[in-house]
Protein backbone atom coordinates (compact mmCIF):
# COMPACT_ATOMS: atom_id res chain seq x y z
CA UNK A 1 0.00 0.00 0.00
CA UNK A 2 1.28 3.44 -0.75
CA UNK A 3 0.07 6.76 0.46
CA UNK A 4 -1.31 8.47 -2.61
CA UNK A 5 -1.89 12.04 -1.49
CA UNK A 6 0.33 13.70 -4.10
CA UNK A 7 -1.23 11.53 -6.78
CA UNK A 8 -4.76 12.48 -5.66
CA UNK A 9 -3.92 16.19 -5.78
CA UNK A 10 -2.27 15.70 -9.15
CA UNK A 11 -5.35 14.00 -10.59
CA UNK A 12 -7.68 16.75 -9.44
CA UNK A 13 -5.33 19.36 -10.92
CA UNK A 14 -5.14 17.40 -14.17
CA UNK A 15 -8.96 17.37 -14.38
CA UNK A 16 -9.15 21.14 -13.77
CA UNK A 17 -10.59 22.89 -16.83
CA UNK A 18 -10.15 26.41 -15.47
CA UNK A 19 -12.58 27.13 -12.63
CA UNK A 20 -14.32 23.77 -12.67
CA UNK A 21 -13.21 20.15 -12.55
CA UNK A 22 -14.32 17.34 -14.87
CA UNK A 23 -15.01 13.93 -13.28
CA UNK A 24 -12.33 12.38 -15.48
CA UNK A 25 -10.71 13.08 -18.80
CA UNK A 26 -12.64 12.06 -21.99
CA UNK A 27 -15.41 9.85 -20.53
CA UNK A 28 -17.00 12.81 -18.67
CA UNK A 29 -15.77 16.09 -20.22
CA UNK A 30 -18.12 18.54 -18.44
CA UNK A 31 -19.01 19.70 -14.93
CA UNK A 32 -21.26 17.31 -12.99
CA UNK A 33 -23.32 18.44 -10.01
CA UNK A 34 -22.55 16.03 -7.16
CA UNK A 35 -19.11 15.25 -8.54
CA UNK A 36 -18.24 18.92 -8.12
CA UNK A 37 -19.67 18.98 -4.60
CA UNK A 38 -17.44 16.15 -3.42
CA UNK A 39 -14.50 17.38 -5.48
CA UNK A 40 -14.76 20.81 -3.83
CA UNK A 41 -14.46 19.11 -0.44
CA UNK A 42 -11.27 17.37 -1.56
CA UNK A 43 -9.80 20.53 -3.10
CA UNK A 44 -10.59 22.45 0.09
CA UNK A 45 -7.85 20.54 1.89
CA UNK A 46 -5.15 21.99 -0.35
CA UNK A 47 -6.66 25.13 -1.92
CA UNK A 48 -9.67 26.80 -0.31
CA UNK A 49 -10.09 29.49 -2.89
CA UNK A 50 -10.23 26.94 -5.70
CA UNK A 51 -12.71 24.82 -3.74
CA UNK A 52 -15.12 27.75 -3.50
CA UNK A 53 -14.61 28.51 -7.17
CA UNK A 54 -15.78 24.97 -7.97
CA UNK A 55 -19.00 25.62 -6.07
CA UNK A 56 -19.48 29.09 -7.54
CA UNK A 57 -19.07 27.68 -11.06
CA UNK A 58 -21.71 25.05 -10.44
CA UNK A 59 -24.12 27.56 -8.95
CA UNK A 60 -23.52 29.87 -11.86
CA UNK A 61 -25.53 27.33 -13.88
CA UNK A 62 -28.46 27.28 -11.44
CA UNK A 63 -31.78 27.71 -13.24
CA UNK A 64 -34.10 30.63 -12.49
CA UNK A 65 -36.46 28.23 -10.72
CA UNK A 66 -33.66 27.14 -8.34
CA UNK A 67 -32.71 23.81 -9.93
CA UNK A 68 -29.00 23.04 -9.99
CA UNK A 69 -28.64 20.88 -13.10
CA UNK A 70 -26.82 17.58 -13.21
CA UNK A 71 -24.43 18.56 -16.03
CA UNK A 72 -23.13 21.96 -17.08
CA UNK A 73 -21.86 22.08 -20.66
CA UNK A 74 -19.28 24.82 -21.02
CA UNK A 75 -17.75 23.78 -24.29
CA UNK A 76 -18.67 21.46 -27.10
CA UNK A 77 -17.24 17.96 -26.94
CA UNK A 78 -18.35 15.70 -29.78
CA UNK A 79 -17.00 12.75 -27.82
CA UNK A 80 -19.83 12.89 -25.25
CA UNK A 81 -23.45 11.77 -25.59
CA UNK A 82 -26.03 13.14 -24.76
CA UNK A 83 -24.63 16.64 -25.16
CA UNK A 84 -26.38 20.04 -25.08
CA UNK A 85 -27.95 19.62 -28.52
CA UNK A 86 -29.85 16.59 -27.26
CA UNK A 87 -31.08 18.15 -24.01
CA UNK A 88 -32.17 21.44 -25.62
CA UNK A 89 -32.80 23.21 -22.32
CA UNK A 90 -32.13 26.66 -23.80
CA UNK A 91 -30.29 27.86 -20.73
CA UNK A 92 -27.10 29.82 -20.41
CA UNK A 93 -24.74 28.13 -19.82
CA UNK A 94 -26.17 25.02 -21.52
CA UNK A 95 -27.13 22.31 -19.08
CA UNK A 96 -28.95 19.02 -18.81
CA UNK A 97 -32.63 19.12 -17.80
CA UNK A 98 -32.77 17.53 -14.34
CA UNK A 99 -30.76 17.54 -11.14
CA UNK A 100 -28.63 15.11 -9.10
CA UNK A 101 -28.35 14.25 -5.39
CA UNK A 102 -28.14 17.62 -3.57
CA UNK A 103 -24.93 17.24 -1.58
CA UNK A 104 -23.88 20.91 -1.74
CA UNK A 105 -25.26 22.16 1.58
CA UNK A 106 -23.61 19.27 3.43
CA UNK A 107 -20.26 19.88 1.74
CA UNK A 108 -20.46 23.59 2.53
CA UNK A 109 -21.30 22.96 6.17
CA UNK A 110 -18.17 20.78 6.45
CA UNK A 111 -16.06 23.53 4.91
CA UNK A 112 -17.48 26.13 7.29
CA UNK A 113 -17.05 23.91 10.34
CA UNK A 114 -13.41 23.12 9.48
CA UNK A 115 -12.66 26.57 8.14
CA UNK A 116 -12.23 30.22 8.97
CA UNK A 117 -14.05 33.53 8.53
CA UNK A 118 -13.25 33.28 4.83
CA UNK A 119 -15.35 30.10 4.51
CA UNK A 120 -18.22 31.67 6.44
CA UNK A 121 -18.16 34.68 4.16
CA UNK A 122 -18.32 32.52 1.06
CA UNK A 123 -21.08 30.38 2.59
CA UNK A 124 -23.10 33.50 3.35
CA UNK A 125 -22.78 34.51 -0.29
CA UNK A 126 -24.18 31.21 -1.59
CA UNK A 127 -26.74 30.62 1.17
CA UNK A 128 -29.74 32.08 -0.75
CA UNK A 129 -28.87 29.85 -3.70
CA UNK A 130 -28.85 26.77 -1.48
CA UNK A 131 -32.27 27.78 -0.15
CA UNK A 132 -33.55 28.16 -3.70
CA UNK A 133 -32.15 24.75 -4.64
CA UNK A 134 -33.82 22.98 -1.70
CA UNK A 135 -37.07 24.86 -2.30
CA UNK A 136 -37.00 23.67 -5.90
CA UNK A 137 -36.45 20.04 -4.87
CA UNK A 138 -39.28 20.13 -2.35
CA UNK A 139 -41.74 21.71 -4.79
CA UNK A 140 -40.84 20.47 -8.29
CA UNK A 141 -40.09 16.92 -7.13
CA UNK A 142 -42.94 16.73 -4.61
CA UNK A 143 -45.63 19.10 -5.91
CA UNK A 144 -48.35 17.58 -3.67
CA UNK A 145 -46.26 18.05 -0.53
CA UNK A 146 -46.28 14.36 0.44
CA UNK A 147 -42.72 14.37 1.77
CA UNK A 148 -41.69 11.79 -0.85
CA UNK A 149 -39.27 13.12 -3.45
CA UNK A 150 -39.78 11.70 -6.95
CA UNK A 151 -36.91 11.47 -9.37
CA UNK A 152 -37.81 11.80 -13.02
CA UNK A 153 -34.84 9.98 -14.54
CA UNK A 154 -32.52 7.28 -13.14
CA UNK A 155 -29.71 9.74 -13.86
CA UNK A 156 -31.21 12.09 -11.28
CA UNK A 157 -30.36 9.51 -8.60
CA UNK A 158 -26.71 9.52 -9.68
CA UNK A 159 -26.98 5.69 -9.59
CA UNK A 160 -27.71 5.37 -13.27
CA UNK A 161 -28.31 1.67 -13.95
CA UNK A 162 -29.03 0.32 -10.48
CA UNK A 163 -31.61 -2.51 -10.54
CA UNK A 164 -33.72 -0.18 -8.35
CA UNK A 165 -34.80 1.52 -11.56
CA UNK A 166 -35.68 -1.63 -13.48
CA UNK A 167 -39.31 -1.38 -12.23
CA UNK A 168 -39.78 2.15 -13.56
CA UNK A 169 -37.65 1.53 -16.64
CA UNK A 170 -39.59 -1.59 -17.67
CA UNK A 171 -42.82 0.34 -17.80
CA UNK A 172 -41.39 2.88 -20.25
CA UNK A 173 -42.54 2.44 -23.82
CA UNK A 174 -39.83 3.48 -26.23
CA UNK A 175 -41.63 5.59 -28.87
CA UNK A 176 -41.32 4.82 -32.60
CA UNK A 177 -40.04 8.32 -33.15
CA UNK A 178 -37.16 7.99 -30.66
CA UNK A 179 -34.34 10.22 -31.87
CA UNK A 180 -31.55 8.26 -33.49
CA UNK A 181 -28.36 8.46 -31.51
CA UNK A 182 -24.86 7.12 -31.10
CA UNK A 183 -23.79 6.46 -27.54
CA UNK A 184 -20.16 7.25 -26.81
CA UNK A 185 -19.56 5.67 -23.40
CA UNK A 186 -18.96 2.16 -24.77
CA UNK A 187 -16.21 3.46 -27.02
CA UNK A 188 -14.29 4.50 -23.87
CA UNK A 189 -15.17 1.67 -21.46
CA UNK A 190 -15.82 -2.05 -21.81
CA UNK A 191 -19.57 -2.56 -22.46
CA UNK A 192 -19.75 -5.21 -19.70
CA UNK A 193 -19.26 -2.41 -17.21
CA UNK A 194 -21.84 -0.04 -18.73
CA UNK A 195 -25.64 0.10 -19.07
CA UNK A 196 -27.20 -2.09 -21.77
CA UNK A 197 -28.65 -0.79 -25.07
CA UNK A 198 -32.30 -1.25 -24.10
CA UNK A 199 -31.65 0.67 -20.88
CA UNK A 200 -30.05 3.42 -22.91
CA UNK A 201 -33.10 3.69 -25.23
CA UNK A 202 -35.25 4.24 -22.15
CA UNK A 203 -32.87 6.85 -20.73
CA UNK A 204 -33.18 8.76 -23.99
CA UNK A 205 -36.98 8.34 -24.09
CA UNK A 206 -37.19 10.33 -20.85
CA UNK A 207 -34.89 13.05 -22.19
CA UNK A 208 -37.01 13.28 -25.34
CA UNK A 209 -40.19 13.69 -23.24
CA UNK A 210 -38.53 16.45 -21.20
CA UNK A 211 -37.58 18.44 -24.22
CA UNK A 212 -41.02 17.94 -25.80
CA UNK A 213 -42.60 19.67 -22.77
CA UNK A 214 -39.76 22.21 -22.73
CA UNK A 215 -38.55 20.96 -19.35
CA UNK A 216 -41.74 21.97 -17.58
CA UNK A 217 -41.12 20.18 -14.26
CA UNK A 218 -44.76 19.96 -13.29
CA UNK A 219 -45.65 18.28 -16.59
CA UNK A 220 -42.73 15.89 -16.17
CA UNK A 221 -43.74 14.96 -12.63
CA UNK A 222 -47.37 14.49 -13.66
CA UNK A 223 -46.96 12.73 -17.00
CA UNK A 224 -43.31 11.88 -17.60
CA UNK A 225 -42.26 8.32 -18.49
CA UNK A 226 -40.54 7.70 -15.13
CA UNK A 227 -41.25 8.70 -11.52
CA UNK A 228 -39.65 6.84 -8.65
CA UNK A 229 -38.78 7.50 -5.03
CA UNK A 230 -35.08 7.03 -4.37
CA UNK A 231 -33.77 6.38 -0.85
CA UNK A 232 -30.53 8.05 -2.02
CA UNK A 233 -32.02 11.39 -3.03
CA UNK A 234 -34.57 11.30 -0.19
CA UNK A 235 -31.89 10.71 2.47
CA UNK A 236 -29.30 13.03 0.93
CA UNK A 237 -31.84 15.86 0.69
CA UNK A 238 -33.03 15.28 4.26
CA UNK A 239 -29.44 15.33 5.52
CA UNK A 240 -28.71 18.40 3.39
CA UNK A 241 -31.72 20.17 4.95
CA UNK A 242 -30.49 19.34 8.46
CA UNK A 243 -27.05 20.62 7.46
CA UNK A 244 -28.57 23.74 5.92
CA UNK A 245 -30.36 24.43 9.21
CA UNK A 246 -27.09 24.13 11.09
CA UNK A 247 -25.45 26.40 8.55
CA UNK A 248 -28.26 28.93 9.02
CA UNK A 249 -27.56 28.88 12.76
CA UNK A 250 -23.82 29.31 12.27
CA UNK A 251 -24.33 32.18 9.82
CA UNK A 252 -27.17 33.83 11.77
CA UNK A 253 -29.63 33.41 8.92
CA UNK A 254 -32.55 33.34 11.36
CA UNK A 255 -35.18 34.16 8.77
CA UNK A 256 -34.54 30.79 7.09
CA UNK A 257 -35.15 28.56 10.15
CA UNK A 258 -38.89 27.99 9.81
CA UNK A 259 -38.85 27.12 6.14
CA UNK A 260 -36.00 24.64 6.56
CA UNK A 261 -37.67 23.04 9.58
CA UNK A 262 -40.81 22.48 7.51
CA UNK A 263 -38.78 20.68 4.84
CA UNK A 264 -37.13 18.51 7.47
CA UNK A 265 -40.46 17.52 9.04
CA UNK A 266 -42.05 16.71 5.72
CA UNK A 267 -39.11 14.72 4.38
CA UNK A 268 -38.84 12.80 7.65
CA UNK A 269 -42.49 11.76 7.32
CA UNK A 270 -41.89 10.82 3.68
CA UNK A 271 -39.13 8.34 4.56
CA UNK A 272 -41.70 5.88 5.93
CA UNK A 273 -43.16 5.38 2.47
CA UNK A 274 -39.82 3.90 1.41
CA UNK A 275 -39.79 1.29 4.17
CA UNK A 276 -40.27 -2.14 2.62
CA UNK A 277 -41.56 -4.60 5.25
CA UNK A 278 -40.77 -7.58 3.04
CA UNK A 279 -37.08 -6.65 3.15
CA UNK A 280 -37.00 -4.98 6.54
CA UNK A 281 -35.30 -1.97 5.06
CA UNK A 282 -35.54 1.16 2.93
CA UNK A 283 -35.95 0.50 -0.79
CA UNK A 284 -36.67 2.47 -3.96
CA UNK A 285 -40.36 2.57 -4.92
CA UNK A 286 -42.32 3.45 -8.04
CA UNK A 287 -44.49 6.43 -7.12
CA UNK A 288 -47.28 5.68 -9.60
CA UNK A 289 -47.68 1.95 -8.91
CA UNK A 290 -46.30 1.84 -5.34
CA UNK A 291 -44.17 -1.18 -6.38
CA UNK A 292 -41.06 -1.66 -4.27
CA UNK A 293 -37.60 -2.59 -5.39
CA UNK A 294 -36.54 -5.64 -3.42
CA UNK A 295 -32.96 -5.21 -2.29
CA UNK A 296 -30.79 -3.16 0.02
CA UNK A 297 -28.40 -0.84 -1.82
CA UNK A 298 -25.69 1.55 -0.74
CA UNK A 299 -28.39 4.27 -1.01
CA UNK A 300 -30.60 2.39 1.50
CA UNK A 301 -27.60 2.52 3.82
CA UNK A 302 -27.82 6.33 3.87
CA UNK A 303 -30.73 6.10 6.34
CA UNK A 304 -28.19 6.66 9.13
CA UNK A 305 -26.83 9.71 7.32
CA UNK A 306 -30.38 11.14 7.22
CA UNK A 307 -31.11 10.16 10.81
CA UNK A 308 -34.21 8.32 9.53
CA UNK A 309 -36.25 5.58 11.18
CA UNK A 310 -37.50 4.29 14.52
CA UNK A 311 -35.10 2.41 16.84
CA UNK A 312 -36.42 -0.90 15.40
CA UNK A 313 -35.92 0.28 11.83
CA UNK A 314 -32.38 1.41 12.65
CA UNK A 315 -31.58 -1.94 14.23
CA UNK A 316 -32.83 -3.73 11.14
CA UNK A 317 -30.72 -1.50 8.86
CA UNK A 318 -27.65 -2.08 11.04
CA UNK A 319 -28.22 -5.84 10.78
CA UNK A 320 -28.39 -5.55 6.96
CA UNK A 321 -25.20 -3.51 7.03
CA UNK A 322 -23.38 -6.18 9.04
CA UNK A 323 -24.68 -9.00 6.85
CA UNK A 324 -23.76 -7.27 3.58
CA UNK A 325 -20.27 -6.32 4.79
CA UNK A 326 -19.84 -9.95 5.85
CA UNK A 327 -20.70 -11.11 2.34
CA UNK A 328 -18.02 -9.14 0.52
CA UNK A 329 -14.38 -8.33 0.81
CA UNK A 330 -14.89 -4.59 0.40
CA UNK A 331 -17.98 -2.59 1.36
CA UNK A 332 -20.37 -1.03 0.65
CA UNK A 333 -21.62 -2.67 -2.55
CA UNK A 334 -24.22 -0.81 -4.59
CA UNK A 335 -26.55 -3.83 -4.62
CA UNK A 336 -27.04 -6.65 -2.13
CA UNK A 337 -24.41 -9.30 -2.95
CA UNK A 338 -26.80 -12.03 -1.77
CA UNK A 339 -29.46 -11.00 -4.33
CA UNK A 340 -29.68 -12.80 -7.69
CA UNK A 341 -29.24 -9.57 -9.71
CA UNK A 342 -25.88 -8.71 -8.13
CA UNK A 343 -23.10 -8.08 -10.69
CA UNK A 344 -19.80 -7.25 -9.05
CA UNK A 345 -18.36 -5.32 -12.01
CA UNK A 346 -21.34 -3.56 -13.58
CA UNK A 347 -21.47 0.07 -12.50
CA UNK A 348 -24.33 0.56 -9.99
CA UNK A 349 -25.41 -3.09 -9.96
CA UNK A 350 -22.76 -4.20 -7.46
CA UNK A 351 -19.56 -2.10 -7.37
CA UNK A 352 -18.37 0.04 -4.47
CA UNK A 353 -18.27 3.84 -4.90
CA UNK A 354 -16.03 6.02 -2.70
CA UNK A 355 -18.50 8.92 -2.53
CA UNK A 356 -21.34 6.72 -1.32
CA UNK A 357 -19.00 5.19 1.24
CA UNK A 358 -18.09 8.66 2.49
CA UNK A 359 -21.73 9.47 3.27
CA UNK A 360 -22.36 5.97 4.66
CA UNK A 361 -19.51 6.08 7.16
CA UNK A 362 -20.41 9.63 8.17
CA UNK A 363 -23.95 8.44 8.94
CA UNK A 364 -22.84 5.28 10.72
CA UNK A 365 -20.42 7.27 12.87
CA UNK A 366 -23.15 9.80 13.72
CA UNK A 367 -25.41 6.92 14.74
CA UNK A 368 -22.76 5.49 17.06
CA UNK A 369 -22.15 2.43 14.83
CA UNK A 370 -18.41 2.95 15.23
CA UNK A 371 -17.23 -0.49 14.07
CA UNK A 372 -19.32 -0.45 10.93
CA UNK A 373 -18.20 3.10 10.15
CA UNK A 374 -14.55 2.10 10.56
CA UNK A 375 -15.00 -0.94 8.33
CA UNK A 376 -16.44 1.21 5.50
CA UNK A 377 -13.83 3.95 5.76
CA UNK A 378 -10.94 1.49 6.04
CA UNK A 379 -12.18 -0.43 3.02
CA UNK A 380 -12.31 2.81 1.04
CA UNK A 381 -8.79 3.75 1.99
CA UNK A 382 -7.47 0.26 1.19
CA UNK A 383 -9.21 0.19 -2.18
CA UNK A 384 -7.76 3.54 -3.22
CA UNK A 385 -4.31 2.78 -1.88
CA UNK A 386 -4.11 -0.54 -3.69
CA UNK A 387 -5.90 0.38 -6.95
CA UNK A 388 -5.67 4.15 -7.36
CA UNK A 389 -8.47 6.65 -8.08
CA UNK A 390 -10.81 4.36 -10.01
CA UNK A 391 -14.40 5.38 -10.73
CA UNK A 392 -15.67 2.33 -8.77
CA UNK A 393 -14.40 -1.00 -7.39
CA UNK A 394 -15.35 -4.67 -7.42
CA UNK A 395 -16.59 -5.54 -3.88
CA UNK A 396 -15.46 -9.14 -4.19
CA UNK A 397 -11.86 -8.77 -5.31
CA UNK A 398 -11.26 -5.03 -5.08
CA UNK A 399 -10.39 -4.43 -8.75
CA UNK A 400 -10.54 -0.75 -9.75
CA UNK A 401 -13.07 -0.32 -12.59
CA UNK A 402 -14.58 2.21 -15.02
CA UNK A 403 -12.76 5.46 -15.74
CA UNK A 404 -9.42 5.92 -13.98
CA UNK A 405 -8.02 9.12 -12.47
CA UNK A 406 -11.40 10.05 -11.09
CA UNK A 407 -11.74 13.44 -9.36
CA UNK A 408 -14.29 12.47 -6.73
CA UNK A 409 -12.46 9.31 -5.71
CA UNK A 410 -9.29 11.41 -5.29
CA UNK A 411 -11.28 14.00 -3.32
CA UNK A 412 -12.76 11.46 -0.92
CA UNK A 413 -9.29 10.04 -0.39
CA UNK A 414 -7.96 13.51 0.47
CA UNK A 415 -10.79 14.06 2.94
CA UNK A 416 -10.05 10.66 4.47
CA UNK A 417 -6.38 11.59 4.84
CA UNK A 418 -7.04 15.21 5.79
CA UNK A 419 -4.53 15.17 8.68
CA UNK A 420 -1.77 13.88 6.42
CA UNK A 421 -2.70 16.45 3.74
CA UNK A 422 -2.52 19.25 6.31
CA UNK A 423 0.86 18.01 7.60
CA UNK A 424 2.21 17.84 4.07
CA UNK A 425 1.09 21.40 3.48
CA UNK A 426 2.83 22.64 6.57
CA UNK A 427 6.04 21.04 5.34
CA UNK A 428 5.80 22.62 1.89
CA UNK A 429 4.40 26.04 2.95
C1 LIG B 1 -22.11 8.58 -13.96
C2 LIG B 1 -22.53 8.34 -12.52
C3 LIG B 1 -22.96 9.65 -11.90
C4 LIG B 1 -21.83 10.66 -12.00
C5 LIG B 1 -21.32 10.79 -13.44
C6 LIG B 1 -20.04 11.60 -13.55
O1 LIG B 1 -23.15 9.03 -14.73
O2 LIG B 1 -23.55 7.39 -12.44
O3 LIG B 1 -23.34 9.47 -10.57
O4 LIG B 1 -22.21 11.89 -11.53
O5 LIG B 1 -21.05 9.51 -13.97
O6 LIG B 1 -19.03 11.05 -12.76
Amino acid sequence: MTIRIEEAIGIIRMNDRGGYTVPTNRLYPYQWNWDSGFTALGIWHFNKWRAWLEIMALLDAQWDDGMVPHIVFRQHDPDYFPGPGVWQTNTEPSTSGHSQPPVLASVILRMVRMGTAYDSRKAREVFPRLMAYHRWFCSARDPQGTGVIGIIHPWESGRDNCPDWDIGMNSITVPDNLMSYNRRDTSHIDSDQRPTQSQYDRFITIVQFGREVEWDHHAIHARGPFLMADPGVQFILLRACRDLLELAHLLDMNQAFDEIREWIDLLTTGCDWLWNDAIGGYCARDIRTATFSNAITNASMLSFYAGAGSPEQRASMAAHCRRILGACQYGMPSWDPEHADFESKRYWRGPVWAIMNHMIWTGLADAGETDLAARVSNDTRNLVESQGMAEYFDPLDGTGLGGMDFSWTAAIYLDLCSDEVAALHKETA
Side-chain angles (χ1 to χ4, degrees), residues 22-24 27-28 30-36 70-71 80 100-101 154-155 157-161 194 347-348 353 355 391-392 406 408:
V22 296
T24 190
L27 181 63
Y28 298 113
Y30 302 108
Q31 184 176 27
W32 262 258
N33 179 332
W34 70 329
D35 292 68
S36 266
H70 105 288
I71 311 177
Y80 182 81
Q100 251 190 338
W155 291 342
S157 73
R159 302 183 295 122
D160 304 6
N161 69 331
R194 299 292 304 179
Y347 216 38
W348 291 96
W353 293 72
I355 41 123
E391 186 176 8
Y392 44 93
F406 239 78
W408 67 7

Side-chain angles (χ1 to χ4, degrees), residues 330-334 342-347 350-355 357 379-404 406 408-410:
Y330 300 94
M332 179 59 70
S334 44
F342 174 76
E343 295 179 73
S344 72
K345 290 192 175 6
R346 199 187 282 272
Y347 216 38
V352 174
W353 293 72
I355 41 123
N357 277 8
D379 283 2
T380 311
R381 187 164 179 154
N382 290 337
L383 284 168
V384 173
E385 290 186 347
S386 73
Q387 302 285 310
M389 320 295 151
E391 186 176 8
Y392 44 93
F393 303 87
D394 184 323
L396 301 184
D397 65 12
T399 312
L401 300 164
M404 295 306 288
F406 239 78
W408 67 7
T409 309

Side-chain angles (χ1 to χ4, degrees), residues 18 30 34 51 57 64 68 82 105 128 135 163 233 281 286 294 315 317 337 370 386 411:
Y30 302 108
W34 70 329
D64 290 344
V68 181
R135 198 174 292 126
V233 165
D286 191 294
N294 62 0
M317 289 304 294
T370 326
S386 73

Side-chain angles (χ1 to χ4, degrees), residues 212-266:
E212 277 164 12
V213 298
E214 296 176 352
W215 299 103
D216 169 344
H217 289 303
H218 286 276
I220 297 172
H221 192 280
R223 302 184 275 112
F226 181 96
L227 187 69
M228 286 191 74
D230 169 21
V233 165
Q234 180 85 18
F235 292 147
I236 290 169
L237 180 61
L238 175 51
R239 171 64 183 238
C241 285
R242 293 190 200 286
D243 289 344
L244 193 60
L245 186 60
E246 187 175 336
L247 200 57
H249 277 284
L250 290 174
L251 303 175
D252 293 324
M253 298 288 193
N254 303 18
Q255 69 292 352
F257 293 170
D258 289 347
E259 190 176 5
I260 306 175
R261 280 199 197 105
E262 269 174 38
W263 296 332
I264 294 174
D265 290 346
L266 205 59

